[in-house]
Amino acid sequence: MDLQQLRYFIEVCDAGSFSRAAVSLDLTQPTLSRQIGLLEAELGQRLLERTGRGVIPTDSGTLLIPHARAMLDMAQRARDELRDQQASPTGRIIVGLPPRVARLLTVSLVQAFCEQFPRAVLTIHEGLSTHLREWLIAGRLDIALLFDPPASLQISCKTLRQETLVLVASAQAAPLPEQIGFAELASYSMILPSVPNALRNLVDAALRPHAVNLKIIAEVGAMQTMIPLVAQGVACTILPEPAVAAFAPQGAVQTARIGPPAIHNTLVMATTLTRPANRLTRATAQLVERLVQEDGPGPVSA
């Protein structure tokens, strides 16, 4: 099928009139009618029916519309990708980062992006993993770094890093053991994020099989707020080791490994499956992955 004829057919269907479509396409009405006639002859089907107010698609025309739109869209994407191959990608890409990751990654990401893609624009949104996942599914983000997202048929996830969770207490409190079992955690007053939160969900899921009920005295979402409370001796908390290193002043807190088994959180790079990734999205994803491996939060864990 001729793509130009399909475009003319869709234009007539959208306009509901040969005359209006001809004006939009800058064609004469006889030329447009002839092209639609050639398409109908090739398919052996009547595609449009004239009415007193214009034209409407026949049953065959209605069946063709979604296929025609898909073929035209695919052809346009092919043209765009071939054009992008000849130059630095253009356009805008939106990346979502959790606050802790954003604090460590934003500067290097913006600098590397501007150097590598001078004709494109990068937008960064910060938010909790639960919110970023919703925004990605809704199409408001192109790429998101998420901690322990629930599985979804709408997104694809690639694991970038794992981090070990530790019990965190004030340096002025009684010394913590080097390692602490799950059951012993119940004896410590805790400050944790409230549900829904990726870290809280992970801790609850890890402790549930051991029937451990934590003594939570406060729920605080931001690590920047949580760690000073712990350092002042208000209560303990459970955090990934890199978060303690990033937010706690040196000597302000002490930590203990939890387990066995250890509790690990997982940082993934997520992209949507509802629309194909263009060249800029793929290249930005590669850049983000490289920067996380080089400079990102936390050591790689087996």
Side-chain angles (χ1 to χ4, degrees), residues 9 12-13 16-18 36 40 45-62:
F9 167 69
V12 173
C13 290
S17 162
F18 275 96
I36 297 298
E40 290 178 325
Q45 302 281 340
R46 184 80 174 273
L47 300 176
L48 296 169
E49 181 179 342
R50 295 182 182 273
T51 70
R53 297 182 177 180
V55 294
I56 59 173
T58 63
D59 290 344
S60 297
T62 300

Side-chain angles (χ1 to χ4, degrees), residues 19-256:
S19 58
R20 287 194 292 269
V23 171
S24 176
L25 293 167
D26 195 21
L27 296 173
T28 64
Q29 187 170 332
T31 298
L32 181 57
S33 297
R34 184 169 58 253
Q35 291 298 317
I36 297 298
L38 291 173
L39 179 61
E40 290 178 325
E42 179 184 354
L43 296 176
Q45 302 281 340
R46 184 80 174 273
L47 300 176
L48 296 169
E49 181 179 342
R50 295 182 182 273
T51 70
R53 297 182 177 180
V55 294
I56 59 173
T58 63
D59 290 344
S60 297
T62 300
L63 183 63
L64 177 61
I65 287 174
H67 297 291
R69 291 191 192 279
M71 285 186 279
L72 292 170
D73 183 57
M74 186 177 298
Q76 184 59 51
R77 290 203 304 269
R79 285 191 288 267
D80 291 343
E81 290 189 14
L82 288 172
R83 185 176 62 247
D84 285 347
Q85 286 291 102
Q86 305 304 315
S88 173
T90 60
R92 177 184 299 273
I93 186 149
I94 307 175
V95 178
L97 302 176
R100 174 162 63 92
V101 178
R103 176 176 177 178
L104 298 174
L105 197 66
T106 297
V107 172
S108 58
L109 176 57
V110 171
Q111 290 175 336
F113 184 94
C114 292
E115 180 179 348
Q116 190 168 336
F117 312 116
R119 301 171 64 228
V121 177
L122 171 66
T123 299
I124 295 178
H125 289 324
E126 293 187 31
L128 297 178
S129 291
T130 51
H131 298 151
L132 295 178
R133 178 178 176 273
E134 293 173 1
W135 297 344
L136 182 66
I137 292 174
R140 294 171 57 187
L141 301 176
D142 298 299
I143 299 171
L145 296 190
L146 309 173
F147 285 108
D148 302 291
S152 170
L153 296 177
Q154 296 173 283
I155 60 175
S156 173
C157 294
K158 181 176 183 179
T159 297
L160 300 183
R161 291 182 177 271
Q162 285 188 320
E163 304 169 339
T164 301
L165 270 59
V166 294
L167 175 66
V168 187
S170 170
Q172 307 304 317
L176 294 176
E178 183 175 338
Q179 188 154 333
I180 188 166
F182 289 169
E184 298 168 88
L185 292 173
S187 63
Y188 293 88
S189 297
M190 293 281 183
I191 298 173
L192 287 175
S194 60
V195 175
N197 174 277
L199 178 63
R200 176 65 180 274
N201 291 341
L202 179 63
V203 170
D204 288 348
L207 298 183
R208 193 174 297 117
H210 303 274
V212 175
N213 294 314
L214 296 178
K215 185 167 58 177
I216 299 174
I217 67 166
E219 292 181 323
V220 177
M223 293 183 185
Q224 300 95 314
T225 305
M226 189 187 307
I227 289 181
L229 290 171
V230 173
Q232 290 295 320
V234 175
C236 299
T237 193
I238 297 174
L239 291 175
E241 282 186 305
V244 180
F247 291 105
Q250 189 170 5
V253 299
Q254 55 177 318
T255 62

